[in-house]
Amino acid sequence: MCGIVGYISNNSPASCENVAKILIKALEKLEYRGYDSAGIAILESNGEKKIHMIKTKGHIKDLCALAADKFSTLENCRAGIGHTRWATHGEPNDVNSHPHMSYSKEIALVHNGIIENYLELREFLTKHDYKFLSQTDTEVIAQLVEYYYKETHDPVKAVRTATNMLQGTYALAIIFAEHPDMLIAIRKDSPLILGLCENRNMFASDVSAMLEYTRDIIRLSDYEMAIVKADSVTILNRFDEEVEKTPVKITWDANAAEKDGYDHFMMKEMMQQPTAVRNTISRYANGTRIDFGLKSITREYLKNVRDICIVACGSAYHAGVVGANLFEKALRIPTRAQIASEFIYSDPLINENTLTIVISQSGETLDSLQALRKAKELGSKTLSIVNVEGSIIAIESDDCIYTQAGPEIAVATTKAYSAQLVVLYMLLGHILSIRNDDASIESRYLSECMEIPAMLESILEHKEHIQHLASLYQNCESIFYIGRNLDYALALEGSLKLKEISYIHSEAYASGELKHGTISLIKPGTLVIASCTYEPLFEKTLSNITEVRSRGAEVIALAREGNTKLESVADHCVWLPKCSQMTGPSIAIVPMQLFAYYIAALRGCEIDKPRNLAKTVTVE
Ligand code: M6R
């Protein structure tokens, strides 16, 4: 949530316009993290030593117009910071936008995270005659840094003392008018990555913002502070001792974050699903065996593990529901999926015999991170399934399996979800083969997984059928998703995709549960999307479809080819290739994603950046 960037160069002559352009370009790459307002602050390094700032409610394009006005004539500017916001404290408006200036206007900062004790700090500062313009927690940090800067005249000491008083999460970029030759970056629980270049340096919340300039990066750890100058970077640990960190080379393609001719990232990413799944399988397939390269979670541990708890949020949780269902049935040990934000405060019953699996595309989701920490505190071994390499969840878990989906930009996840599912299938095959001492199990699971990409391709090739269905139902006010067992897990994800991007109200229900209350909402014309891929309960779902149809609902049913009985009970059938029981959710989710996409497009919604949402959710 929120994207921050800092940039400093010693190019001479340096114009303010250039620095602004570089910051804005970087913010465009970070906009997926939050997009309700944006701003930049630039240091003027001539005699006057001043900070120039622009900020506005709205998207980065609104900021560009302001920048052109304000910065075209300023010279001697070599450094600045920028921010794109997802509002937490105070509505999205110009005043609450970042950067925030200190009272004297000599310090400016941008922040990603939440300061929990900001009201106490605000009270403390008010007693010392500080005044506040905004409702944000961030402005408090700017004033607090100034308070200590006035005492010490030392930016490093001021930042360290102020941040030591903060409770909560933060990644901060700070500039001081009196020190135009440096930026300060510091973090706790929110990501911050340094990008090293010749004659200039930068940092950002995400590598994608810096790929145009550098591939040499250093990830800051909690409490580390970086003093970033054009020709040097000094990193201090929490005791202000200098630490040496070796830069890592980023290998991914900068074009990965471009739309490649598609109207939206979401469509591009749906179309990339066969590749995402294929790459994930091939990273861990070793001939007919599965090898995740786990170090801390040994075969011995997996052989004896007594229960499994999968924690995650949103779509990652839905992948976990599929996984829990399959794991419990096959392994015959208690396995549950829990929503991370509930898990943390539920006094969870886990211990050293529990394997906790945390699933997260970004590897940054705060609820999931806290769930991971809670599980570790209780003695559980932790295994994460993460897409973003080097992210906090990946680093803090005992072992991590990286999905190979590549960068995912659209807020609505598609290819990362598909890659998570395939990792879960492979992990199940791996654990099952260890517990049964039977290598052929791995080879069987692997073969089933290898069939997925071609089936996804065949659905994506015929997407016009789904587009047609979307055109018929684009004006629905409410849409229900039903299914049993694995189809229920699928319904949860299908429904989330729809409401997230099309803003149509939607509910997911276990088909058998409808008659216990929800069926009262079904009236003539209500659309019900019924998943019927789980063969053992096919007949029962068929009865549930008949029940809603006899109350006037229109039904789109999804099932494997050949289930002709459906034709007489549903209004429309979406036929899926003949996948296995286990891989059904991977195949059936694609028409649901497409349906949500096409409806949202027909309704003119902003598909890649739905209202009120952000791609990475780093607040509780
Ligand atoms: O990065 P994560 O996988 O941890 O994110 C979890 C959820 O916030 C995420 O899946 C969210 O539900 C998606 N926007 C759904 O499309």
Side-chain angles (χ1 to χ4, degrees):
M1 239 120 198
C2 300
I4 71 172
V5 59
Y7 174 84
I8 187 160
S9 105
N10 60 14
N11 285 350
S12 195
S15 80
C16 193
E17 205 176 0
N18 283 343
V19 177
K21 273 188 190 148
I22 289 168
L23 290 172
I24 287 175
K25 222 166 172 195
L27 288 179
E28 278 166 359
K29 296 276 187 285
L30 297 173
E31 210 177 7
Y32 71 89
R33 304 178 68 89
Y35 35 85
D36 55 44
S37 44
I40 55 177
I42 291 183
L43 277 163
E44 192 179 344
S45 43
N46 62 6
E48 221 189 322
K49 293 192 175 163
K50 221 175 146 190
I51 296 174
H52 299 273
M53 180 172 78
I54 51 164
K55 53 186 192 169
T56 179
K57 179 183 171 187
H59 289 187
I60 308 288
K61 58 179 183 309
D62 304 306
L63 192 67
C64 289
L66 285 181
D69 261 12
K70 170 119 183 176
F71 295 138
S72 53
T73 54
L74 282 175
E75 293 299 330
N76 281 319
C77 299
R78 298 193 175 87
I81 54 177
H83 187 266
T84 177
R85 180 173 187 239
W86 186 88
T88 57
H89 296 64
E91 63 174 286
N93 62 26
D94 293 357
V95 178
N96 288 332
S97 309
H98 299 212
H100 287 280
M101 289 258 205
S102 66
Y103 195 41
S104 67
K105 305 215 177 315
E106 291 195 353
I107 297 167
L109 62 78
V110 292
H111 169 216
N112 170 26
I114 285 195
I115 303 307
E116 285 158 8
N117 61 336
Y118 84 105
L119 286 175
E120 292 150 43
L121 294 172
R122 196 173 160 125
E123 205 179 307
F124 163 78
L125 289 161
T126 310
K127 282 189 190 137
H128 289 85
D129 297 329
Y130 278 84
K131 305 256 179 314
F132 293 86
L133 301 174
S134 77
Q135 298 155 297
T136 63
D137 50 345
T138 305
E139 193 184 0
V140 172
I141 315 174
Q143 314 284 31
L144 200 61
V145 173
E146 175 166 291
Y147 177 84
Y148 289 111
Y149 184 65
K150 278 193 174 156
E151 268 183 10
T152 58
H153 291 283
D154 179 336
V156 172
K157 276 194 188 138
V159 171
R160 181 65 74 194
T161 317
T163 51
N164 279 345
M165 293 174 75
L166 305 178
Q167 286 165 16
T169 59
Y170 53 82
L172 296 167
I174 311 169
I175 51 177
F176 293 76
E178 284 183 4
H179 299 271
D181 59 338
M182 70 168 202
L183 314 171
I184 290 191
I186 185 165
R187 61 151 278 198
K188 178 188 167 262
D189 289 340
S190 297
L192 204 46
I193 300 151
L194 306 175
L196 312 177
C197 332
E198 207 164 307
N199 291 326
R200 55 186 172 178
N201 285 305
M202 60 196 304
F203 55 84
S205 308
D206 180 356
V207 176
S208 61
M210 304 185 286
L211 278 183
E212 194 176 331
Y213 309 98
T214 183
R215 286 174 174 274
D216 297 322
I217 62 133
I218 293 176
R219 289 177 196 276
L220 284 186
S221 301
D222 275 356
Y223 305 106
E224 281 180 348
M225 185 193 311
I227 297 133
V228 181
K229 300 189 173 177
D231 46 18
S232 70
V233 170
T234 310
I235 302 172
L236 305 176
N237 68 13
R238 65 186 307 175
F239 309 109
D240 286 337
E241 297 153 347
E242 201 169 324
V243 285
E244 287 292 328
K245 294 190 100 169
T246 316
V248 174
K249 264 232 175 320
I250 292 293
T251 49
W252 34 275
D253 174 13
N255 289 337
E258 303 298 332
K259 279 190 208 149
D260 289 348
Y262 289 101
D263 288 343
H264 302 98
F265 279 110
M266 185 178 173
M267 180 51 91
K268 175 185 166 189
E269 288 160 7
M270 285 190 292
M271 298 301 285
Q272 286 177 326
Q273 290 184 103
T275 311
V277 171
R278 213 172 260 131
N279 289 348
T280 304
I281 299 171
S282 55
R283 163 106 184 236
Y284 302 112
N286 187 358
T288 57
R289 304 301 307 266
I290 296 167
D291 182 4
F292 290 113
L294 304 179
K295 301 229 155 45
S296 174
I297 298 171
T298 59
R299 292 176 73 85
E300 192 56 24
Y301 176 83
L302 291 173
K303 193 165 182 98
N304 297 311
V305 69
R306 298 230 193 101
D307 66 314
I308 298 177
C309 181
I310 305 179
V311 281
C313 306
S315 296
Y317 163 71
H318 297 155
V321 177
V322 172
N325 210 308
L326 291 167
F327 276 48
E328 187 161 279
K329 225 174 278 164
L331 298 173
R332 306 314 297 160
I333 55 172
T335 307
R336 64 188 195 275
Q338 239 182 305
I339 294 171
S341 55
E342 289 296 314
F343 173 88
I344 313 163
Y345 302 106
S346 65
D347 201 359
L349 206 52
I350 59 170
N351 54 39
E352 60 285 357
N353 298 315
T354 313
L355 171 64
T356 303
I357 301 176
V358 180
I359 308 177
S360 174
Q361 186 284 130
S362 61
E364 272 186 54
T365 305
L366 188 61
D367 290 325
S368 305
L369 176 65
Q370 289 185 335
L372 171 80
R373 288 176 176 167
K374 181 86 192 174
K376 285 181 97 169
E377 192 186 301
L378 294 170
S380 168
K381 280 261 182 218
T382 54
L383 171 63
S384 60
I385 299 174
V386 167
N387 196 40
V388 177
E389 298 225 6
S391 53
I392 306 177
I393 291 176
I395 288 171
E396 289 200 12
S397 50
D398 292 319
D399 264 311
C400 172
I401 302 174
Y402 284 112
T403 45
Q404 303 296 305
E408 194 181 58
I409 311 289
V411 166
T413 181
T414 52
K415 61 175 180 171
Y417 170 82
S418 289
Q420 288 161 357
L421 284 183
V422 83
V423 165
L424 286 166
Y425 306 149
M426 290 172 78
L427 183 61
L428 174 57
H430 183 57
I431 302 178
L432 205 54
S433 99
I434 293 172
R435 289 173 86 92
N436 289 291
D437 211 4
D438 178 356
S440 72
I441 299 177
E442 277 187 354
S443 130
R444 191 158 40 80
Y445 272 68
L446 213 45
S447 310
E448 279 186 41
C449 290
M450 283 171 174
E451 286 171 4
I452 300 173
M455 294 191 195
L456 299 181
E457 268 153 9
S458 91
I459 295 175
L460 290 164
E461 266 163 33
H462 299 102
K463 56 186 186 309
E464 290 69 27
H465 174 47
I466 309 294
Q467 188 173 21
H468 169 67
L469 292 175
S471 71
L472 300 180
Y473 294 105
Q474 59 177 299
N475 295 319
C476 282
E477 278 174 15
S478 184
I479 299 180
F480 290 79
Y481 285 73
I482 63 168
R484 284 170 179 262
N485 202 278
L486 289 178
D487 282 325
Y488 170 55
L490 186 62
L492 290 169
E493 178 58 6
S495 170
L496 178 66
K497 283 285 91 77
L498 181 83
K499 58 191 149 208
E500 190 176 19
I501 60 169
S502 74
Y503 315 143
I504 294 176
H505 168 258
S506 174
E507 305 260 357
Y509 263 87
S511 321
E513 184 67 7
L514 278 175
K515 58 186 175 294
H516 297 292
T518 310
I519 202 161
S520 65
L521 295 172
I522 304 292
K523 52 187 188 194
T526 305
L527 178 62
V528 175
I529 299 187
S531 307
C532 316
T533 70
Y534 188 68
E535 298 285 349
L537 296 174
F538 179 76
E539 299 291 339
K540 295 211 182 289
T541 309
L542 221 56
S543 310
N544 299 133
I545 294 177
T546 320
E547 284 158 17
V548 292
R549 273 202 89 204
S550 46
R551 281 151 184 94
E554 293 192 23
V555 174
I556 299 178
L558 280 81
R560 285 188 193 78
E561 282 159 349
N563 279 317
T564 44
K565 275 189 196 168
L566 262 181
E567 277 166 359
S568 55
V569 290
D571 297 271
H572 309 276
C573 294
V574 175
W575 298 118
L576 306 169
K578 285 199 171 127
C579 47
S580 71
Q581 197 65 62
M582 174 178 80
T583 59
S586 289
I587 310 305
I589 192 56
V590 180
M592 292 186 177
Q593 295 167 344
L594 289 165
F595 186 73
Y597 173 87
Y598 285 124
I599 286 213
L602 287 163
R603 291 164 74 103
C605 299
E606 214 173 328
I607 294 181
D608 286 336
K609 293 181 205 148
R611 72 178 174 217
N612 304 339
L613 293 174
K615 181 73 179 162
T616 47
V617 185
T618 52
V619 295
E620 256 199 77

